[in-house]
Amino acid sequence: MIHCTRALPFLILLVGVSCLGQDIQRFPPPDFESGYEFPVTTTPAPRAGTLNYLDVAVLFMALSLASYLALIKRSRQGIFALTIFSLLYFGFYREGCVCSIGAIQNVTLALFDPSYSVPFTVAVFFFLPLLFALFFGRVFCAGVCPLGAIQDMMLIRPVKIPHWLLPALGLLAYLYLGVAILFAATGSAFIICEYDPFVTFFRLAGNRNIVILGISLLVISLFVGRPYCLFLCPYGVLLHHFTRLTQWQVTVSPNECLQCQLCEEACPFGAIDPPTPKGMPAPNKQDRFRLVFLILLVPIFIAVGGWVASLAADSFSRMHFTVRLAEQIAWEDASEVDKFTEASQVFRDTGQPKEALFQEARHVRDRFVLGAWILGGFLGLVIAGKLIGLSRYRIRSDYEINATDCLACGRCFSYCPQEIKRRRKSKSAPTVRQEAGNG
Amino acid sequence: MVSSNQEFTRRRLLKDGFRNVCILGIGGASGILMARGQTDQYCWQIDPQKCIACGNCATFCVLEESAVKCVQTYAMCGYCKLCTGFFDPAPNALNTGAENQLCPTGAIIRTFVEDPYYEYTIDESLCIGCGKCVKWCKAFGNGSFYLQVRHDRCVNCNQCAIAAACPSEAFQRVPADQPYLLKGTNHSG
Ligand code: SF4
Ligand code: SF4
Ligand code: SF4
């Protein structure tokens, strides 16, 4: 049998062979005389499926515990300890994947791509915290989310953010959510995962730019409570709205509010609203007029938003592989370059018709135009909603937690004299019982 | 006072109603989305027929050491004495000196089997998944070297960072119970 010993250089002269396509059996596998047997290619298995059920169980327990600690036990230390646990388990042990925030995209993809089904774990990670929010508020943020945990731990020297700035920055999260859904729905990318700022810490490795992003966010976290959660987190948007319907919520005071104002500055996330001043005038005609005017403007907000976003549809669509490839090939053909990009070379080597590719790219782009209109309309609606919310007149007689913004961290509890009284009482409680037993 | 109380009750009823709707929605949605139930879990894998061994696999993985490694389908290999995946295209001598090897990390183990055949095995602890050997094996040999995501190393990112950078769309989500796309088996090469 003559074999490849026949000069490598000769073979190399034949280059120009592309790497694509079927393999060619140039040298048939030998029949061994020495009784040698072909080893088998090893296939180490992925993480066992049963461990995924463990994750689900841990998630459920952590959520339940967070609810108990925030609403019944009212213990900041407890919540803090749970936070550390979650950081270690979901963060460092599970290395950040899969998380509820990223799961938004899997669910979206499943809604739009019938060939993809949401794996069980991912579905639970997406839906369970929302379900808890319907009953107990954002307990997921309090003690379960590893991204929240890593920031929460950094908060040392909170500075006060002006109250008007919070909702404005909060719009970013809606934008992020909308864009992430657009890209997931079109099957272009999972940007929440690609730009997850903290996952690089959990894995102690990763893209350098993301590391820089993460470090900057952590530095900001020293002064501003949980910047990612407040201004960027797309899942936070969902939790925020589900919490509107919450059955129970965290309160600053275990009993009646004494209006002592001690808790006014307690919340680093601006979730405690002061009572409306006593002498504040009831809404007058002008206020009402403004409200009606704003409501009438809603369709215009939606239309303008949709139109503005549709202008960006083309740039958005470049996130899709096919569109990018089609544009590249069209450009290369038009400008007659002789050096193709890798992706374009691959496509050319397959010999598929370009027209089909262009057709498909057009189809994807059409979906992006539609998607951009919806995205823009949604953002217009959100802005209008925020404005209406700002000019609505609400009476609060006590210092109240705004459940939708409250991350249930429990920092404010110890500010309340009523709470301090309660703790003293509960500490002395066993003695009382003992005495009763003795008597 | 009565009217405000009434309003309070009304609002609470409304809230309860909405909450129930949401719960039903969550239940329904998760049911429908999971019921398609092709699989319990996905993981990422490279289709070796699409991969062009561009080198991105070595650098784009989120792990410090890429989870992608070269594998060998022995039954496809020619056991060539002069392996184009093993030797540098212009070797000084046909021995296992590092300067004669294509692999930048010397991860390919060459063992004599019987004249004139040699077995080529990948030492996974050294392989960085650069795909150099893959490229040359495919171009001039049988293509029995190819890249695969090794699931004992891969952390199964929700979005594989290499998949996002792959120029040939070779990465795909595969069911976790069939996590490899090996050549020479059912997918055949
Ligand atoms: S990025 Fe894609 S084409 Fe490049 S080596 Fe990896 S799988 Fe192959
Ligand atoms: S050449 Fe690259 S892919 Fe091949 S064994 Fe060496 S490190 Fe691995
Ligand atoms: S899923 Fe993550 S760990 Fe696995 S190969 Fe891709 S980037 Fe690497």
Side-chain angles (χ1 to χ4, degrees), chain B residues 70 102-105 107-108 122 126-134 147:
Chain B
C70 178
L102 186 62
C103 177
T105 59
I108 306 175
I122 309 294
L126 291 178
C127 174
I128 54 168
C130 70
K132 283 211 176 84
C133 60
V134 175
L147 295 174

Side-chain angles (χ1 to χ4, degrees), chain A residues 155-266:
Chain A
L155 182 57
I156 295 172
R157 206 170 257 285
V159 293
K160 195 151 176 64
I161 321 165
H163 239 285
W164 55 268
L165 196 61
L166 279 176
L169 285 173
L171 282 177
L172 280 176
Y174 287 89
L175 180 66
Y176 196 13
L177 173 68
V179 173
I181 289 185
L182 178 62
F183 288 148
T186 49
S188 316
F190 275 17
I191 57 167
I192 300 177
C193 300
E194 273 178 54
Y195 300 102
D196 182 334
F198 301 116
V199 79
T200 48
F201 296 122
F202 300 149
R203 294 176 177 152
L204 308 173
N207 182 302
R208 192 150 43 96
N209 294 338
I210 305 286
V211 174
I212 294 172
L213 175 70
I215 293 180
S216 337
L217 273 171
L218 283 187
V219 170
I220 299 177
S221 310
L222 291 170
F223 309 104
V224 179
R226 298 208 192 181
Y228 182 85
C229 307
L230 259 53
F231 311 129
L232 289 172
C233 181
Y235 197 63
V237 171
L238 302 182
L239 286 168
H240 175 96
H241 288 287
F242 273 77
T243 303
R244 280 174 193 277
L245 303 173
T246 188
Q247 183 141 28
W248 296 284
Q249 71 171 78
V250 176
T251 53
V252 186
S253 174
N255 302 311
E256 213 177 313
C257 171
L258 301 175
Q259 312 242 357
C260 63
Q261 306 187 4
L262 287 174
C263 64
E264 185 154 22
E265 308 281 308

